[in-house]
């Protein structure tokens, strides 16, 4: 698995597809913190949402990084299509970890906040960033060319899903009475954002539940994605 992840990293670096999302995120964080001072956890709520979007884009660019012929060769070396795609999901998530670290450390290191962030706040914020990035990766994998051949259509649909995920609370308020529970089917990014926006008043259980919700939801939809690959026996020819 390590060799496969390393191979994917080499392919991704050579493709230069990492450039736009990474560049946008790094500059976006610098721009946001160009005005000081900023509240600590509320600012991390923004960067967590920002990283969720960027992670989805990263996975979208990684999931179909190989041509059909190259993927066939890689699949033969890896032993299975599932192992290859698990590696793609893992690599996409790992790629976002340095970005999460940057989003947490940069404002604290350069004193962009209205006060000093505590060690607990820094650690918890990092975990929130990482769990939300995993959620973005797990959502984006469904928009692979294995399922949607048109890249334009798949990107538009992914954009819609990202917007819906960010707008969950607004959607909940618009739902008719009795259908509020339907919101549980949507990605739980709002749980993380709500905790960060009201961090001091949040209980320990709600703080941990927000992390667990993103990780669990991501695991479930990623597992369903892999199950569909196996079920439909989708090979590199997109059959």
């Amino acid at each position: 698995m390590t060799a496969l992840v390393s191979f994917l990293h080499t392919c991704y670096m050579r493709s230069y597809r990492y450039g736009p999302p990474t560049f946008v995120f790094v500059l976006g964080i610098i721009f946001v913190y160009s005005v000081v001072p900023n509240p600590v956890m509320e600012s991390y709520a923004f960067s967590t949402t920002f990283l969720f979007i960027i992670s989805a884009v990263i996975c979208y660019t990684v999931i179909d990084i190989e041509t059909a012929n190259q993927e066939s060769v890689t699949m033969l070396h890896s032993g299975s299509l599932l192992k290859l795609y698990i590696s793609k999901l893992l690599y996409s998530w790992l790629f976002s970890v340095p970005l999460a670290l940057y989003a947490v450390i940069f404002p604290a290191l350069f004193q962009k906040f209205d006060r000093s962030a505590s060690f607990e706040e820094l650690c918890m914020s990092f975990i929130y960033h990482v769990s939300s990035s995993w959620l973005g990766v797990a959502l984006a994998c469904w928009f692979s060319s294995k399922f949607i051949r048109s890249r334009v259509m798949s990107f538009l649909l992914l954009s819609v899903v990202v917007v819906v995920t960010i707008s969950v609370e607004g959607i909940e308020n618009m739902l008719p009475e009795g259908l509020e529970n339907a919101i549980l089917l949507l990605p739980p990014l709002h749980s993380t954002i709500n905790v960060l926006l009201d961090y001091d008043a949040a209980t320990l259980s709600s703080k941990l539940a927000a992390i667990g919700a993103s990780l669990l939801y991501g695991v479930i939809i990623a597992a369903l994605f892999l199950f569909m690959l196996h079920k439909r026996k989708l090979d590199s020819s997109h059959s």
Side-chain angles (χ1 to χ4, degrees):
M1 185 71 76
T2 302
L4 193 52
V5 170
S6 177
F7 170 74
L8 291 172
H9 177 66
T10 300
C11 291
Y12 198 48
M13 291 297 102
R14 288 178 177 175
S15 73
Y16 294 103
R17 294 184 184 183
Y18 66 90
T22 304
F23 184 74
V24 167
F25 186 76
V26 170
L27 285 189
I29 293 296
I30 293 175
F31 175 77
V32 167
Y33 289 111
S34 62
V35 178
V36 294
N38 300 279
V40 178
M41 302 310 280
E42 290 86 345
S43 298
Y44 283 143
F46 165 78
S47 57
T48 295
T49 305
F50 194 11
L51 184 59
F52 163 78
I53 298 171
I54 294 298
S55 297
V57 174
I58 289 172
C59 181
Y60 180 82
T61 59
V62 168
I63 205 74
D64 292 316
I65 192 171
E66 299 173 290
T67 63
N69 291 335
Q70 183 181 353
E71 185 179 275
S72 297
V73 174
T74 306
M75 185 174 64
L76 288 175
H77 284 283
S78 63
S80 74
L81 185 66
L82 291 183
K83 186 176 180 180
L84 172 59
Y85 274 82
I86 289 173
S87 298
K88 287 183 177 181
L89 293 175
L90 179 60
Y91 174 71
S92 299
W93 190 26
L94 291 175
F95 191 90
S96 72
V97 172
L99 298 180
L101 191 62
Y102 163 73
V104 173
I105 297 298
F106 174 80
L109 185 63
F110 290 96
Q111 300 178 345
K112 301 295 183 177
F113 294 136
D114 54 8
R115 61 176 176 81
S116 297
S118 67
F119 181 72
E120 180 214 339
E121 289 174 327
L122 293 175
C123 290
M124 290 298 289
S125 296
F126 176 70
I127 295 173
Y128 285 126
H129 279 77
V130 170
S131 61
S132 296
S133 69
W134 165 245
L135 184 62
V137 166
L139 284 174
C141 69
W142 281 93
F143 299 89
S144 163
S145 60
K146 294 290 186 183
F147 297 122
I148 307 173
R149 293 188 180 185
S150 170
R151 293 289 79 197
V152 174
M153 182 60 68
S154 64
F155 188 77
L156 288 176
L157 290 174
L158 175 59
S159 299
V160 170
V161 170
V162 167
V163 171
V164 168
T165 301
I166 297 173
S167 310
V168 163
E169 289 202 332
I171 294 173
E172 183 178 14
N173 295 332
M174 295 172 60
L175 289 175
E177 189 177 351
L179 293 179
E180 296 90 347
N181 290 335
I183 212 74
L184 296 175
L185 298 175
L186 298 178
L189 179 67
H190 64 286
S191 299
T192 296
I193 303 307
N194 287 339
V195 166
L196 286 169
L197 291 177
D198 197 20
Y199 189 80
D200 290 335
T203 63
L204 178 59
S205 59
S206 63
K207 293 176 182 178
L208 297 178
I211 297 170
S214 292
L215 293 176
L216 180 60
Y217 192 97
V219 167
I220 291 173
I221 60 175
L224 288 174
F225 167 74
L226 296 171
F227 174 77
M228 289 299 296
L229 283 181
H230 178 72
K231 181 79 172 178
R232 297 175 59 182
K233 303 186 186 304
L234 295 172
D235 58 20
S236 58
S237 63
H238 311 306
S239 58

